[in-house]
């Protein structure tokens, strides 16, 4: 049963309620390893599902365009103060609707159309909004790119420096969506300073690790930090922009009125709750466990002959090239999904295959860490993955079905926030 329970929804719209209940059970029964996903707490779910959704609050606390903000101002201020304390920054804007609009606000704050932005190439691990060609950020700006070294699978700061010196970008993005290694924020900052660029650290994936002390912080190096709130940080879907005092007003103006209208107050409340959770001692243990689980899983996969980009991981994320297994990333991901192991197909650096049918899979350990799994279970997870991929190659659906049952049995012993079995 969904927690919090949904009796009013069930009475008013049984069809929709049935789908929500089924999705809750699906999330309960599967090893969820999509690197950008997680399970939020019941407290975050409750905060996100409140009457705060009824309220319009364009503007900022004390400077709104509608009346009746006595309590919304307090809620948004609470979220802001918690973000500032958790990440140790001068300024936080908690209004961006999600990670992509947060990044767009950064463009609006610092660039004009046609200006040059340097970001990590999408197929090398960057995000669409770091200037990739199909994104508005690649269409409206002159985007130039860096990647990873073919030999090491890691970012080569000498390459970044060369491109930066040649292209003189106004903004440099570091961070990505498929980067299994520690980001060298100090190294990027040195390059940004040399060419006079604003350094933006997009920590969408690793924000929870940064907050929990399991990844170095960009604060003190990057001028601006953008992040989603719903990945390792384990809050509702949303985003924040953190910055030095110097850039506070440019950022705020870019978010509103530059890009957005009214903030989603129910989401702001959920973010405030998640930030409080992230400042507690349990969260540090959770962040450390995410990394320990990823390292254990990576080691178990390597032992089974898997080719991991960069050879392993420093964070929550693993990128595996399945060329050696004789299967594409997409059919593998689909077979794994049927086997109760949910992840996504992904390009690997220098992928000879097409983005819609690439060579790799991407996986992460945040959600299964939230469920309570530890290093102890990681060899079993790797064994299931390997067996399911082998079964997919041989069209052996009965093995895949058997694994899905075993996964379900294991997970029955690990409670899911937001769901109760009894
Ligand atoms: C997920 C992600 C985003 C975008 O977030 P959405 O909420 O999906 O818009 C931006 N940057 C990075 C690095 C991400 O991983």
């Amino acid at each position: 049963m969904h927690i919090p329970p949904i009796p009013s929804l069930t009475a008013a719209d049984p069809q929709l309620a049935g789908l929500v209940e089924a999705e809750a059970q699906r999330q309960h029964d599967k090893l969820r390893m999509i690197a950008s996903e997680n399970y939020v707490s019941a407290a975050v779910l409750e905060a996100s599902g409140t009457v705060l959704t009824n309220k319009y609050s364009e503007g900022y606390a004390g400077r709104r365009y509608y009346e009746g903000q006595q309590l919304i101002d307090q809620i948004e201020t609470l979220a802001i103060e918690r973000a500032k304390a958790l990440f140790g920054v001068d300024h936080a804007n908690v209004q961006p609707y999600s990670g992509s609009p947060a990044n767009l606000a950064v463009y609006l704050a610092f660039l004009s159309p046609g200006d040059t932005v340097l970001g990590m190439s999408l197929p090398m691990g960057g995000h669409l909004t770091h200037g990739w060609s199909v994104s508005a950020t690649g269409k409206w700006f002159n985007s130039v790119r860096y990647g990873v070294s073919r030999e090491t699978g890691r970012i080569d700061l000498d390459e970044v420096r060369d491109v930066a010196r040649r292209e003189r970008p106004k903004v440099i993005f570091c961070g990505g969506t498929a980067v299994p290694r520690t980001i060298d924020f100090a190294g990027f900052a040195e390059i940004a300073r040399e060419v006079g660029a604003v350094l933006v650290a997009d920590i969408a994936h690793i924000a929870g690790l940064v907050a929990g002390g399991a990844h170095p912080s960009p604060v003190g190096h990057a001028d601006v930090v953008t992040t989603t709130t719903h990945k390792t940080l384990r809050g509702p879907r949303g985003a924040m922009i953190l910055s030095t005092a110097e850039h506070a007003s440019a950022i705020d103006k870019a978010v509103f009125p530059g890009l957005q209208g009214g903030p989603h107050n129910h989401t702001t409340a959920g973010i405030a709750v998640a930030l409080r959770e992230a400042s507690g001692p349990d969260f540090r243990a959770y962040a450390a466990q995410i990394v320990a689980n990823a390292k254990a899983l990576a080691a178990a996969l390597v032992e089974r002959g898997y080719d991991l980009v960069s050879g392993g991981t420093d964070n929550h994320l693993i990128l595996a090239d399945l060329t050696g297994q004789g299967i594409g990333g997409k059919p593998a991901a689909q077979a794994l999904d049927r086997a109760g192991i949910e992840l996504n197909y992904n390009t690997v650096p220098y992928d000879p295959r097409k983005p819609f049918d690439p060579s790799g899979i991407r996986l992460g350990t945040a959600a299964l860490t939230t469920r309570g799994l530890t290093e102890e279970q990681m060899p079993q997870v790797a064994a299931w993955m390997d067996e399911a991929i082998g079964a997919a190659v041989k069209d052996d659906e009965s093995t895949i079905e058997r694994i899905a049952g075993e996964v379900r049995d294991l997970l029955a012993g690990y409670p899911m926030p937001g769901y109760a079995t009894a």
Side-chain angles (χ1 to χ4, degrees), residues 31-212:
L31 264 175
R32 297 178 57 239
M33 298 179 70
I34 292 178
S36 46
E37 293 184 353
N38 214 323
Y39 297 95
V40 299
S41 69
V44 167
L45 287 175
E46 286 180 8
S48 308
T50 54
V51 295
L52 302 179
T53 196
N54 296 340
K55 188 71 195 127
Y56 241 108
S57 312
E58 286 185 347
Y60 293 100
R63 299 174 279 145
R64 304 281 188 188
Y65 288 80
Y66 299 99
E67 300 313 312
Q69 311 295 345
Q70 294 83 358
L71 302 157
I72 297 296
D73 275 4
Q74 293 182 52
I75 289 164
E76 189 174 322
T77 302
L78 202 52
I80 289 169
E81 292 305 323
R82 286 176 180 174
K84 284 162 62 177
L86 182 62
F87 290 96
V89 290
D90 299 336
H91 180 71
N93 186 309
V94 298
Q95 293 193 2
Y97 299 141
S98 212
S100 302
N103 283 345
L104 208 50
V106 168
Y107 284 78
L108 191 58
F110 298 108
L111 302 169
S112 296
D115 283 349
T116 300
V117 57
L118 173 59
M120 192 178 200
S121 155
L122 179 78
M124 297 280 184
H127 191 259
L128 281 163
T129 55
H130 298 179
W132 193 241
S133 50
V134 298
S135 151
T137 62
K139 288 182 193 275
W140 295 342
F141 301 90
N142 174 41
S143 67
V144 293
R145 292 158 197 149
Y146 60 88
V148 297
S149 141
R150 196 184 270 274
E151 289 72 43
T152 64
R154 294 173 189 242
I155 293 167
D156 175 0
L157 282 181
D158 291 331
E159 182 205 350
V160 178
R161 188 179 297 103
D162 287 347
V163 184
R165 281 179 177 161
R166 192 173 65 235
E167 304 283 353
R168 312 300 293 189
K170 276 196 177 168
V171 166
I172 298 176
F173 272 92
C174 61
T177 56
V179 180
R181 294 296 180 175
T182 301
I183 309 282
D184 180 357
F185 296 118
F188 272 99
E190 206 181 289
I191 295 168
R193 264 197 305 277
E194 186 192 322
V195 302
V198 172
L199 179 65
V200 182
D202 180 349
I203 60 167
H205 263 265
I206 55 172
L209 303 183
V210 171

Side-chain angles (χ1 to χ4, degrees), residues 272-296:
V273 173
L275 290 169
R276 185 188 156 101
E277 291 173 355
S279 64
D282 292 356
F283 199 85
R284 291 188 81 80
Y286 150 79
Q289 190 64 53
I290 289 175
V291 176
N293 284 348
K295 285 182 183 292

